Amino acid sequence: MAGKAVEKKRPAEVSAASAVDPRDEPSAAWGWHGTFPKATRIAGWFSALVLFLMLIGNHENNTENVWLVGLGLFLILLLVLDMRKRRTAWRK
């Protein structure tokens, strides 16, 4: 098993259509290998909204509110940075 991980990859083993070697990513051998960028962004915005909706409730003190707002703002910051990265990706 360790021998396969150590041996060098030959260019003929990697197909031209797929830049992913099945030894590096086993899921590439049985199907689609990628991400869900649009669904991830939608889930991120939904999670931020849910965090802010959790502010409504019977809180004894504001410690919970500070964490909810902080995590929600951090999530929004990451989503905005991702939007900015997508816009400027073609320039690089």
Side-chain angles (χ1 to χ4, degrees):
M1 185 101 176
K4 287 184 181 180
V6 176
E7 72 184 38
K8 294 194 175 216
K9 300 172 197 158
R10 289 180 236 128
E13 292 178 9
V14 180
S15 67
S18 171
V20 179
D21 187 5
R23 288 183 290 176
D24 292 334
E25 301 290 338
S27 61
W30 50 262
W32 178 75
H33 185 76
T35 60
F36 299 101
K38 190 173 184 179
T40 304
R41 289 182 197 104
I42 291 170
W45 286 110
F46 179 75
S47 299
L49 177 68
V50 168
L51 284 171
F52 290 125
L53 287 175
M54 288 175 140
L55 291 170
I56 303 169
N58 55 350
H59 300 279
E60 294 289 325
N61 55 22
N62 286 329
T63 305
E64 299 94 352
N65 295 343
V66 170
W67 277 98
L68 289 171
V69 169
L71 289 172
L73 290 176
F74 180 69
L75 191 55
I76 288 175
L77 174 72
L78 291 176
L79 289 165
V80 168
L81 289 175
D82 180 58
M83 284 177 16
R84 182 176 171 211
K85 185 179 83 171
R86 281 187 292 136
R87 283 188 187 164
T88 60
W90 62 273
R91 295 181 194 170
K92 295 181 182 180

